[in-house]
Amino acid sequence: MRINQLFNIALQSIVNNKLRTSLTILGVVVGIFSIIVIMTIITMLQSSIENGLSLLNKNTFQIEKFDRMQGRGGGRDRAWRNRKDITIDEAYRLKDLLTDALYVGAEQWQFGKVVKFGNYETNPNISIAGETIDGIKTNNWKVEYGRDLRESDVQYSTDVCLLGPDVVEKIFPNVDPIGQKIRVDGRPMKVAGVLEKQPAMFGQSRDNYIVIPITTWQAMYGKYNNSVNIMVTAPDKDSYNDVIEAAIGHFRKIRKVPPGEPDDFSVFSNESM
């Protein structure tokens, strides 16, 4: 049978079975469209999750007292539960030794605070971050308007702050916050700048916080009452793992961890999330 005869038979079959042909074509179109929609949704969800879990800047890791992925609950051995706090002095020592890093910052936190301005006040859900200048850079916080914190602010424990957008929205509805004085735990703070909005984490805002110099934070809440987090940014992706290994080695020496003993600190990164 010739090819043209086969073609004519197929065409005649399509004409004689219009409904079946139409349904078949419709099924193929719907199937392709469904795959495109599903792939688009998956891509959007992946992007949202990655943005939400990106707590640190690129090529950045954090040294902490405990592993945040495993918590601090029972069932741990005594050595793990009795880890010493990481101190600001250890953070500065690591900064001096880790010369291959781009930034080595330090931070401490207080949570559930109220921020006031005049007759306005926030809910008791504001986080107070005490930061070094490198700490701000490793967190990838950028000032939208106003000025950033300076080394002199850290050196002299200046009562200045940077506000997250949620705080501005709550207590400065119709006023430019720059230069105004807020109160945190009864302490007046001059607003130096307003930070850019951060990506939400699973639909929850991450902008209800303020940033102050770490020395000011320590004057308010104590220098050695809370463990310090140390954030380290590598120059690039290629050097990232080498900087992690160097940081661990230096910090074991700083903490006087005996050879063969496990680390008495944990390393956290976006990848570990």
Side-chain angles (χ1 to χ4, degrees), residues 122-140:
T122 67
N123 294 324
N125 63 347
I126 305 302
S127 302
I128 314 298
E131 298 282 339
T132 63
I133 302 305
D134 274 9
I136 295 172
K137 295 174 182 176
T138 59
N139 277 296
N140 200 27

Side-chain angles (χ1 to χ4, degrees), residues 130-158:
E131 298 282 339
T132 63
I133 302 305
D134 274 9
I136 295 172
K137 295 174 182 176
T138 59
N139 277 296
N140 200 27
W141 293 331
K142 295 183 175 66
V143 172
E144 183 175 7
Y145 58 96
R147 72 164 178 89
D148 213 331
L149 297 187
R150 300 166 179 160
E151 287 289 356
S152 58
D153 295 324
V154 176
Q155 183 179 356
Y156 297 109
S157 306
T158 309

Side-chain angles (χ1 to χ4, degrees), residues 29-179:
V29 171
V30 170
I32 294 174
F33 180 75
S34 298
I35 291 173
I36 293 173
V37 170
I38 291 172
M39 292 303 296
T40 301
I41 292 174
I42 290 174
T43 300
M44 293 173 62
L45 285 174
Q46 181 179 358
S47 177
S48 176
I49 291 171
E50 287 176 351
N51 287 335
L53 293 179
S54 295
L55 302 180
L56 300 169
N57 201 356
K58 290 181 180 180
N59 305 318
T60 298
F61 60 94
Q62 185 163 288
I63 298 174
E64 305 175 320
K65 179 180 178 181
F66 293 113
D67 187 343
R68 70 172 63 189
M69 300 302 294
Q70 297 180 2
R72 314 181 188 187
R76 298 288 176 185
D77 59 58
R78 181 176 298 178
W80 193 91
R81 295 195 305 270
N82 293 339
R83 284 182 175 180
K84 299 180 296 181
D85 284 344
I86 296 173
T87 68
I88 189 64
D89 303 310
E90 291 173 336
Y92 286 137
R93 178 65 177 147
L94 182 63
K95 179 178 174 66
D96 291 337
L97 293 174
L98 198 58
T99 55
D100 291 338
L102 184 62
Y103 305 119
V104 179
E107 67 181 13
Q108 292 176 286
W109 289 85
Q110 281 284 325
F111 303 98
K113 296 298 181 180
V114 175
V115 178
K116 299 179 179 180
F117 172 71
N119 295 325
Y120 294 95
E121 64 179 53
T122 67
N123 294 324
N125 63 347
I126 305 302
S127 302
I128 314 298
E131 298 282 339
T132 63
I133 302 305
D134 274 9
I136 295 172
K137 295 174 182 176
T138 59
N139 277 296
N140 200 27
W141 293 331
K142 295 183 175 66
V143 172
E144 183 175 7
Y145 58 96
R147 72 164 178 89
D148 213 331
L149 297 187
R150 300 166 179 160
E151 287 289 356
S152 58
D153 295 324
V154 176
Q155 183 179 356
Y156 297 109
S157 306
T158 309
D159 290 330
V160 295
C161 64
L162 307 176
L163 301 184
D166 285 0
V167 180
V168 175
E169 183 179 343
K170 186 70 175 180
I171 63 175
F172 291 104
N174 302 305
V175 179
D176 182 357
I178 304 302

Side-chain angles (χ1 to χ4, degrees), residues 11 29 52 124 138 140 196 205 223:
L11 183 62
V29 171
T138 59
N140 200 27
E196 292 181 355
S205 173
K223 187 174 183 180

